[in-house]
Amino acid sequence: MNDHQLLRYSRHILLEEFGIDGQARVSAGRVLVIGAGGLGSPVALYLAAAGVGRIVLVDDDEVDLTNLQRQVAHTHARVGLQKVESAAQAMRDINPEISIETHALRADEALLSRLVAEADVVVDCCDNFATRHAVNRACVAAKTPLVSGAAIRFDGQIAVFDPRDPRSPCYHCLFGEGEALEETRCAVMGVFAPIVGIVGATQAAEALKVLGGVGESLAGRLLLLDALTMRWREVRVTRDPACPVCAGT
Ligand SMILES: [Zn+2]
């Protein structure tokens, strides 16, 4: 790390749990972020600010006026631009020294298997179950840790699925497939603006901890937030021995 980088990341380096070694691991890290919306905005901004060496963003959507109430990486002037381009601009404004790769594409199986294989950590910030399950399958296959988050109305949830740990469940162990009905309902529901910030910032924290080798990750625990009462709940989660995705891996 040069003098300039030592200064830029000095508040991380001052953390004894983090130090120069933790920051060096973050700076050498490669993170894949699926979705550049409500959750993806804080994730992308914090990972860029923290100096993650290479950040890959995937989202096929464009910035829309209705996004601006909560998707803080985007601006009024960038309505109509691809979300990945808008977010990349915001990230470069904060930290021009990292490498950012954007894909304005839907995260399908082929793209995911290639991008997940190149990532140290995957952060799932997408808004639909089909993509969540596809991301999970790719992470289990590549044995790449997955930081998962979701937020709707006043409710948030966060979990880490770490296929390198034989006790850690995968996303499918907790959430089965075939919830299309639930999905159509979710698409028309309200979202309390800061809930995506709280969940997204927590996802960024978990991704940086996994990359930096700091502390204890959320693997094996599911965090649930009810922002109406601001109460958090923690649920222990275990691997489903009959899970069609991760059993026997
Ligand atoms: Zn599983």
Side-chain angles (χ1 to χ4, degrees):
M1 240 177 279
N2 60 36
D3 286 355
H4 179 80
Q5 288 166 321
L6 289 174
L7 269 181
R8 179 184 280 272
Y9 305 119
S10 55
R11 293 302 182 97
H12 257 172
I13 293 166
L14 280 169
L15 294 168
E16 58 181 89
E17 296 84 351
F18 223 86
I20 288 197
D21 291 345
Q23 184 60 45
R25 284 192 287 271
V26 165
S27 295
R30 299 159 302 173
V31 178
L32 171 62
V33 182
I34 308 294
L39 300 172
S41 286
V43 166
L45 297 179
Y46 272 115
L47 295 184
V52 170
R54 183 165 186 77
I55 302 171
V56 181
L57 284 180
V58 181
D59 197 312
D60 66 346
D61 209 1
E62 290 164 8
V63 180
D64 178 272
L65 185 61
T66 63
N67 300 149
L68 300 182
Q69 163 255 16
R70 66 199 176 284
Q71 303 188 9
V72 295
H74 310 307
T75 63
H76 190 84
R78 296 203 287 265
V79 167
L81 202 66
Q82 288 289 344
K83 282 189 180 177
V84 288
E85 282 317 313
S86 168
Q89 231 172 290
M91 294 155 78
R92 282 189 203 105
D93 284 346
I94 295 171
N95 191 347
E97 298 175 351
I98 56 166
S99 148
I100 302 168
E101 179 183 318
T102 59
H103 297 269
L105 297 166
R106 190 153 183 87
D108 64 15
E109 307 267 343
L111 181 68
L112 281 172
S113 73
R114 181 164 67 81
L115 297 181
V116 168
E118 293 166 357
D120 298 311
V121 180
V122 176
V123 188
D124 187 4
C125 302
C126 81
D127 61 357
N128 68 86
F129 289 106
T131 304
R132 277 192 202 141
H133 282 287
V135 171
N136 179 59
R137 280 191 295 274
C139 286
V140 170
K143 291 212 178 295
T144 305
L146 168 61
V147 182
S148 174
I152 195 80
R153 292 171 48 82
F154 291 91
D155 300 318
Q157 68 184 36
I158 309 119
V160 173
F161 303 106
D162 193 340
R164 301 168 305 176
D165 175 355
R167 290 159 310 166
S168 169
C170 79
Y171 182 82
H172 195 285
C173 291
L174 272 62
F175 306 100
E177 284 182 70
E179 298 175 45
L181 196 78
E182 182 72 10
E183 188 141 299
T184 22
R185 261 182 353 112
C186 282
V188 293
M189 279 184 177
V191 183
F192 183 48
I195 190 90
V196 287
I198 298 169
V199 172
T202 310
Q203 286 181 275
E206 289 303 299
L208 289 173
K209 282 165 56 194
V210 170
L211 266 190
V214 175
E216 177 198 347
S217 89
L218 260 178
R221 295 178 287 151
L222 173 67
L223 271 189
L224 300 160
L225 170 63
D226 171 7
L228 267 183
T229 55
M230 210 45 91
R231 284 200 173 92
W232 292 83
R233 271 197 311 136
E234 183 180 307
V235 182
R236 286 252 153 217
V237 287
T238 51
R239 194 176 269 217
D240 173 3
C243 173
V245 178
C246 73
T249 61

